[in-house]
Amino acid sequence: MGRIKDYDFSVSNEMLLELCKQQDQEALRVLFRRHEKPVYNLLYRMLSNHEDAEEALADVFVKVWRAAGSFKGDSKFTTWLFKIAANTARDFLRSRMIRREVSLEDGLVSEGEVARSAAARTVDPEDSTLREDELSRISAALNGLSEDDRLLITLYHFQELDYQDIAEITGICAGNLKVKLFRARQRLKKLCAELDGGCVGNELRGSTDDSSGLRQGACEWS
Amino acid sequence: MSGPEARLIKAHLKTCTECKALLDEELAFDARLAAVPVVEPVNDVWVLVRARTKPRKFSPFVWLARIRSAGATAKRAAAAAAVIGVAAVTLYSFTLNRSDLAPSYISKGAENVITVKWSDDPLGGHREALVECIGKM
């Protein structure tokens, strides 16, 4: 087929995938250009390492190429793609045991690099340092979460997917998802608060130990 | 959240400072997470993907790959055809081996009794007699 513009959305993802089935590498290239950033973001937040995230990104699109025939169109293409990405990230974490290798400090350093590159565009150096510290703390807190919690937080807060899509990607039933997400968020808040060095106090009321997943001590509804 | 439920909560938040504080805290945390920048790959990963998905120019097993990538219906049809073929060959072999199904009769001559039977042997079991006959010619 002729060259398709990378962001020409008149050609749908599904049409491109259909072309991938026929071994059209140009179609895969367009799919890659369209989705590399969100997929990379997910992988980077899960793996906390640029090299591994890049390798995993390549793996994801090789899997898309090979599994193009298995896409039935029951779900959205992006949901299917994120599902492959989430499974690839899990495989990476398990096979290389990154979780054991990456310490909290590594997270601080790598996120620090990202923050520095973002800060290079800002004017006030004091402001950029504050921003860098803030990003480093959030990144370190994310690294402190379990694999499942990190995936939920990444999909909901960073990829901004809705509950239905997240439920499909993670295989968690929709009813359970909100509770799990709430608990993951509370754990992240707790870790952030610990890294901030401040008092956890009110932030942690009824968070992780609360089996119902709801806050204790809230006032009565009138 | 919609309609009456949302209105009820809004009304409650106006009067309850504790819930308002909790909401503000959650919103502040949302804003904190929203400030996390989008990261981008440092290298052009497409080069890796392209190298690993390069279509082969020639493969002796192209037909095999095509069958593997064929749809479920085609696979089912191929499997059904294979089963039918095997069944037909089995039935045919079974019929050939059942020589007792073939008709047989006895012909009585003046000096000799000749028994004729259906057989797979084109010489009908008279190989030796035929060789002897040829020898006399």
Side-chain angles (χ1 to χ4, degrees), chain B residues 20-91:
Chain B
K20 180 76 171 66
L22 285 175
L23 178 67
D24 289 343
E25 188 188 303
E26 292 299 325
L27 291 175
F29 190 62
D30 271 350
R32 208 175 162 184
L33 293 180
V36 174
V38 172
V39 282
E40 291 182 17
V42 179
N43 302 302
D44 185 7
V45 182
W46 169 246
V47 178
L48 274 177
V49 179
R50 190 181 55 197
R52 288 164 63 183
T53 56
K54 204 173 182 178
R56 288 180 200 164
K57 282 181 182 170
F58 172 76
S59 166
F61 300 110
V62 166
W63 61 273
L64 195 64
R66 281 183 187 158
I67 288 171
R68 273 162 59 194
S69 66
T73 314
K75 282 179 188 172
R76 276 198 288 272
V83 169
I84 290 167
V86 169
V89 168
T90 310
L91 192 66

Side-chain angles (χ1 to χ4, degrees), chain A residues 217-222, chain B residues 4-23:
Chain A
C219 65
E220 292 290 324
W221 286 98
S222 52
Chain B
E5 208 176 358
R7 278 197 295 276
L8 188 68
I9 289 172
K10 276 181 188 169
H12 176 78
L13 286 170
K14 279 180 187 168
T15 55
C16 179
T17 50
E18 196 180 356
C19 286
K20 180 76 171 66
L22 285 175
L23 178 67

Side-chain angles (χ1 to χ4, degrees), chain A residues 42-207:
Chain A
L42 170 70
L43 295 167
Y44 178 75
R45 296 290 162 213
M46 289 297 288
L47 302 172
S48 318
N49 176 307
H50 279 295
E51 287 77 28
D52 288 321
E54 282 183 358
E55 205 176 314
L57 178 66
D59 272 7
V60 168
F61 280 90
V62 171
K63 283 178 186 173
V64 166
W65 176 257
R66 288 180 185 157
S70 69
F71 178 73
K72 293 183 182 72
D74 300 336
S75 59
K76 283 191 283 185
F77 170 78
T78 45
T79 309
W80 183 71
L81 179 65
F82 277 122
K83 197 171 185 175
I84 293 176
N87 288 335
T88 306
R90 282 185 176 133
D91 290 347
F92 260 71
L93 285 169
R94 279 169 200 159
S95 65
R96 298 185 178 181
M97 291 200 263
I98 286 171
R99 286 181 68 189
R100 289 182 191 171
E101 290 169 15
V102 176
S103 65
L104 225 62
E105 288 74 25
D106 289 339
L108 284 166
V109 170
S110 59
E111 192 63 38
E113 287 167 11
V114 175
R116 266 191 294 281
S117 67
R121 289 189 290 270
T122 63
V123 182
D124 188 352
E126 196 177 322
D127 210 39
S128 72
T129 311
L130 282 171
R131 187 173 162 75
E132 193 177 321
D133 288 348
E134 165 70 358
L135 293 175
S136 298
R137 278 196 295 271
I138 292 174
S139 179
L142 269 172
N143 286 340
L145 288 177
S146 72
E147 188 184 306
D148 290 340
D149 283 353
R150 211 182 318 165
L151 180 63
L152 288 176
I153 293 287
T154 305
L155 292 172
Y156 187 75
H157 286 287
F158 302 133
Q159 304 297 333
E160 297 178 348
L161 298 180
D162 60 28
Y163 289 126
Q164 198 187 335
D165 288 343
I166 299 174
E168 262 187 67
I169 292 166
T170 56
I172 299 170
C173 71
N176 224 348
L177 180 66
K178 286 183 187 176
V179 176
K180 281 184 182 286
L181 188 58
F182 176 81
R183 288 180 186 164
R185 196 181 144 97
Q186 293 309 109
R187 281 190 270 271
L188 182 65
K189 273 176 80 176
K190 182 184 177 183
L191 286 167
C192 281
E194 282 170 4
L195 289 165
D196 288 344
C199 172
V200 176
N202 285 339
E203 273 192 316
L204 289 174
R205 262 185 304 153
S207 59

